[in-house]
Amino acid sequence: MVKFKFYFLFPYLVLLLITSALTAQNNRRPLSSEDLFFAKGHNRFVASVYVNKGKTEREYGSANLENRLGWGFSFTWLHTYHINPTLGFEWGLGYGAIPLRYYFDIKESESGDLNYGLLMYGTDYIEYLHLPIQMVFRKPITQKLYFNVRPGISVRYILLQELTLEVINTEPYVEIFDSYSTFDNTPRVNFNLGTGISWVLPHFDMLDFQLMANISPYQYIFNEYYFFPGTAYETFGRYKSKGTYIGFSVGYTFTGVRKMIKRARG
C-alpha cells in the first residue's frame, strides 16, 4: 500500500496566500476595456503525449532488452492568475504515466535447440501525480492569436513502490524473462518548459497547442531483469529511467469572457 505524504500539498498553501494577496491588490484599481480578457483567472485543461527513453545496462549474457522510445501521457488542470495581459502565474494538479520499457522479441532459445515461437513483450506504465507551478509570458501575434512561453517546475509523486514481472513460455515450460522494479515515490521537483500558441475561439475561450519538455534530475525507475534465469543462457542487466521527456500538448481554456459580456449587456 502506498502511503501518501501530506507535505506534498504544502505548495498549495503557499500559492493560496500569494494569490489572495495579489487578487486583493489588483481589485483596488478600476478595470479598463483592454483588461477584460484577462480580468478573471482562467481554468485550463491540458492533455499531453510525450516520448521518454530510459537507460539499459547489460552486465552479462547475450539476450537484449531493447532500449526504445516509449510513449507516455498526462492530463492536467491548471489555474491561471493574470498579473497583467502579458504575464500570468499558473498552478494545478495532474495525473500521468511514465513508460517502463520491457521490449524484447525472442524467436528461439540461445542454444537453438528449443523453439519458443514468436514471443514479444512491450511496455508497462508507472502512474504519477504532478503539481505544476509556472509562469506564462504572452505576446499577441494577431487579435486572436497569442504566442506564449511557460517556464516552471512540477512536483512529481510516483504512485507505485515496486513491481515484479515474469514471462513464461508454456510449450516447453521455460521462464524467459523475470524482473523486479522499485520506484522513488518521494515527491521530487522537475523542471518544465513549454512554448506554443493560443487561439481565441469565436466564443472567447482559448485553444492551446504547445511543445513541452520536462527535465528530471532524479532517477525514478530502478529495474533489475533476467533473461532465461537459472539456465546456462542467463542474462542479467538493469534498466533505469529519470522520466525526462519531450512532447506535445493540447489545452482548452475557459476564460469566462462570454459571461462577462452577457452581464455587461444586461
Side-chain angles (χ1 to χ4, degrees):
M1 180 177 179
V2 177
K3 296 181 178 179
F4 187 82
K5 301 174 177 62
F6 287 98
Y7 62 82
F8 174 61
L9 299 177
F10 177 75
Y12 278 119
L13 301 177
V14 177
L15 289 170
L16 180 62
L17 293 174
I18 293 173
T19 304
S20 299
L22 289 172
T23 302
Q25 181 179 5
N26 195 56
N27 288 339
R28 294 192 186 102
R29 67 178 181 84
L31 201 64
S32 65
S33 58
E34 66 180 7
D35 292 326
L36 181 63
F37 196 76
F38 302 104
K40 293 178 60 178
H42 293 170
N43 287 308
R44 187 162 64 100
F45 296 89
V46 182
S48 306
V49 293
Y50 55 81
V51 289
N52 164 266
K53 189 175 184 180
K55 183 179 180 181
T56 302
E57 300 172 345
R58 185 175 63 187
E59 292 204 4
Y60 62 81
S62 58
N64 287 316
L65 185 68
E66 298 182 30
N67 191 12
R68 298 187 180 186
L69 288 173
W71 288 95
F73 61 88
S74 66
F75 302 96
T76 308
W77 160 78
L78 286 161
H79 181 79
T80 306
Y81 172 79
H82 304 291
I83 300 172
N84 56 50
T86 60
L87 181 64
F89 184 61
E90 297 184 329
W91 67 93
L93 182 66
Y95 161 86
I98 302 172
L100 172 58
R101 298 298 283 164
Y102 283 121
Y103 197 93
F104 57 86
D105 182 349
I106 294 177
K107 296 181 180 179
E108 60 183 16
S109 68
E110 294 296 311
S111 64
D113 57 355
L114 294 175
N115 190 345
Y116 297 140
L118 179 63
L119 175 66
M120 299 180 67
Y121 194 81
T123 305
D124 284 320
Y125 290 92
I126 308 306
E127 299 172 299
Y128 64 88
L129 297 177
H130 68 119
L131 189 162
I133 305 169
Q134 59 196 29
M135 302 298 295
V136 52
F137 301 93
R138 294 177 289 255
K139 184 174 179 60
I141 301 173
T142 67
Q143 189 176 2
K144 292 192 174 183
L145 200 63
Y146 288 81
F147 173 76
N148 59 68
V149 178
R150 288 182 164 93
I153 63 172
S154 64
V155 181
R156 182 186 288 174
Y157 179 79
I158 301 294
L159 295 174
L160 192 64
Q161 289 181 315
E162 60 184 40
L163 177 68
T164 58
L165 175 73
E166 288 183 326
V167 179
I168 297 174
N169 191 71
T170 56
E171 293 182 4
Y173 186 88
V174 177
E175 185 175 7
I176 296 174
F177 185 74
D178 187 11
S179 75
Y180 175 73
S181 300
T182 57
F183 310 96
D184 181 357
N185 63 351
T186 302
R188 300 287 190 182
V189 173
N190 289 226
F191 300 94
N192 300 325
L193 179 63
T195 182
I197 57 172
S198 299
W199 175 38
V200 181
L201 300 172
H203 52 279
F204 302 108
D205 285 346
M206 301 179 79
L207 192 61
D208 302 309
F209 301 95
Q210 185 166 276
L211 296 174
M212 45 181 274
N214 173 281
I215 299 175
S216 169
Y218 304 102
Q219 203 82 42
Y220 284 100
I221 298 173
F222 305 86
N223 168 262
E224 295 185 350
Y225 68 88
Y226 291 87
F227 282 100
F228 312 107
T231 72
Y233 314 108
E234 182 176 272
T235 295
F236 172 73
R238 293 183 175 89
Y239 174 88
K240 301 177 181 179
S241 176
K242 292 184 175 182
T244 295
Y245 61 76
I246 57 173
F248 176 77
S249 70
V250 177
Y252 191 92
T253 303
F254 295 91
T255 64
V257 171
R258 183 167 53 176
K259 291 183 178 180
M260 287 188 285
I261 292 175
K262 286 183 178 180
R263 290 173 184 172
R265 291 175 178 174

